[in-house]
Amino acid sequence: MGVTREIWVAPAAVQLQEHGPDWLDVVDDKQWSDENGFHRGFCSSFRIRPDRQIWFHFPFQVPAGGSIDQVSLLWETEEGAQVSWACVHHGGMERRHLYEPNAPLNGVPEPFDPPEMWRKFYPAAKRMRADMAVEPAISTRFGFQLCILVDGPGVIRLYGAGLRYTDLIG
């Protein structure tokens, strides 16, 4: 048995499948955010237009020769948006569903209270953490990503994504 660890990517790593004002609206009063959202150091925020769904992809760099048995998401939604599906892709072509589509993702609160001197720079946060089992575990050989589908209208704030990786070689 190898060493198991969590590997996380920052929120700015997220890739949107659809872009532009046909899909996104202005978020956090940044007029230019209707193109690609608003990426900050601590979160990436997006306002999804009514009757739209957008896939968000978190790519991970993981060595070959290991296995992944869990993925995690730090997020929050506002104004009616919901994460309605999650899956993982590996090897470019293989997809594994993490739960049934069209069901809201549940999580547990992951609170954060910024220091008083910086509080004015942070939006109020109601972060959630969801840990989702990857069953059976995926052996790593090619690229790996967590994909979430978000239904609008409303705001999604992404704080990062993670996975549990076991090195089977070392």
Side-chain angles (χ1 to χ4, degrees):
M1 193 81 154
V3 175
T4 299
R5 62 184 160 270
E6 284 190 4
I7 299 170
W8 283 80
V9 293
V14 70
Q15 298 291 309
L16 287 79
Q17 190 162 304
E18 291 82 20
H19 297 264
D22 287 342
W23 296 89
L24 297 171
D25 203 347
V26 172
V27 66
D28 296 340
D29 298 322
K30 302 298 181 195
Q31 293 305 310
W32 42 262
S33 64
D34 65 348
E35 186 61 40
N36 291 306
F38 183 17
H39 300 277
R40 299 175 181 162
F42 53 85
C43 78
S44 291
S45 302
F46 309 89
R47 183 182 305 278
I48 300 171
R49 289 194 174 277
D51 300 318
R52 296 290 190 191
Q53 296 178 307
I54 298 179
W55 280 103
F56 294 85
H57 307 285
F58 283 95
F60 289 88
Q61 291 185 337
V62 291
S67 74
I68 298 166
D69 67 353
Q70 177 179 290
V71 292
S72 301
L73 181 69
L74 273 178
W75 92 102
E76 71 178 273
T77 55
E78 302 170 3
E79 302 171 16
Q82 72 174 14
V83 179
S84 64
W85 197 5
C87 62
V88 293
H89 278 260
H90 58 103
M93 300 296 288
E94 298 179 47
R95 177 169 63 183
R96 178 98 40 93
H97 302 277
L98 300 174
Y99 67 90
E100 290 299 314
N102 301 315
L105 180 63
N106 294 313
V108 296
E110 185 75 36
F112 174 73
D113 187 24
E116 181 69 37
M117 67 186 286
W118 302 112
R119 209 165 278 159
K120 67 182 178 182
F121 299 106
Y122 287 80
K126 294 180 183 154
R127 294 185 315 174
M128 301 293 286
R129 178 178 175 156
D131 296 320
M132 298 166 273
V134 177
E135 295 176 337
I138 292 173
S139 295
T140 59
R141 182 172 171 213
F142 301 112
F144 184 89
Q145 66 182 350
L146 169 62
C147 308
I148 61 166
L149 182 64
V150 182
D151 299 346
V155 173
I156 176 96
R157 296 189 198 283
L158 299 166
Y159 295 91
L163 56 79
R164 188 166 57 203
Y165 173 83
T166 301
D167 183 353
L168 300 176
I169 296 174

